[in-house]
Amino acid sequence: FPWSITTHPAGFIFVTEDAFTSKRVQKFTSAGVYVTKWGSPGSGDGQFAAPRGIAVDDRGYDYVSDTLNYRVQKFTNTGTFVTKWGQNGSGPGQFNLPIGIAARKGQIYVADQNNNRVQQFTTTGVFVTKWGPTGSGSGQFSSPQDVKADNAGSVYIADTSNQRIQRFHAG
């Protein structure tokens, strides 16, 4: 059950897989040749309950939204665990189903589905800010599923239940 995919600046492709027994990240070359994998079912460092979103930052680190463990995990591009942050809740840095994730210019953006917001962090997991209360107005969300960021400083959020994409500027 491949869930999310991203590319690495060196040409690798990373895929999160959320099947009953294979909760992992797989790494491939751009030609589709298998390179390695990491992760297993669980809640320990480097383990996943539901690996969903994956993003690669400008330095080549991988970030995985571990949805049912309510956290983000950071890895080297060879799968070595670096750090994690988050727990179940609605406060700053807490999650209630983190799904989509993006990384750009030293910032990590996480779509926090059931809290109806997107949170911004440093690459070490320090909370920076959040966007969106629940609602259908501008800057409000209903079940945000994914987030992507471009090099110009725009952050795009798939505001799923409102059936729209919203764009924010990350200063």
Side-chain angles (χ1 to χ4, degrees):
F1 292 99
W3 190 270
S4 185
I5 188 168
T6 194
T7 58
H8 184 277
F12 295 106
I13 299 167
F14 295 91
V15 179
T16 58
E17 186 178 3
D18 186 12
F20 181 71
T21 59
S22 59
K23 302 195 182 284
R24 62 187 177 189
V25 173
Q26 293 193 72
K27 179 180 177 181
F28 299 89
T29 67
S30 59
V33 177
Y34 171 82
V35 176
T36 191
K37 67 182 177 193
W38 64 87
S40 61
S43 59
D45 294 348
Q47 294 183 315
F48 302 107
R52 297 292 166 88
I54 186 166
V56 176
D57 73 10
D58 302 331
R59 296 181 60 209
Y61 288 97
D62 301 328
Y63 300 82
V64 179
S65 58
D66 188 9
T67 303
L68 296 180
N69 279 327
Y70 307 99
R71 65 186 180 186
V72 170
Q73 294 194 71
K74 178 180 178 179
F75 300 89
T76 66
N77 72 18
T78 58
T80 301
F81 174 82
V82 176
T83 192
K84 66 184 175 204
W85 66 87
Q87 62 184 10
N88 192 9
S90 59
Q94 297 178 329
F95 300 107
N96 190 351
L97 296 186
I99 304 284
I101 191 167
R104 285 291 182 269
K105 297 186 177 185
Q107 300 297 296
I108 308 301
Y109 305 92
V110 183
D112 188 9
Q113 179 185 344
N114 284 356
N115 281 326
N116 293 303
R117 65 186 180 185
V118 171
Q119 295 190 75
Q120 180 180 349
F121 300 89
T122 67
T123 58
T124 58
V126 175
F127 174 81
V128 175
T129 192
K130 68 178 178 78
W131 295 308
T134 302
S136 59
S138 181
Q140 298 177 331
F141 301 109
S142 182
S143 190
Q145 295 286 312
D146 204 4
V147 58
K148 297 298 177 209
D150 65 22
N151 289 329
S154 292
V155 178
Y156 302 87
I157 295 128
D159 187 10
T160 304
S161 292
N162 282 325
Q163 301 180 36
R164 64 185 179 184
I165 304 296
Q166 292 196 64
R167 178 180 163 212
F168 294 80
H169 183 73

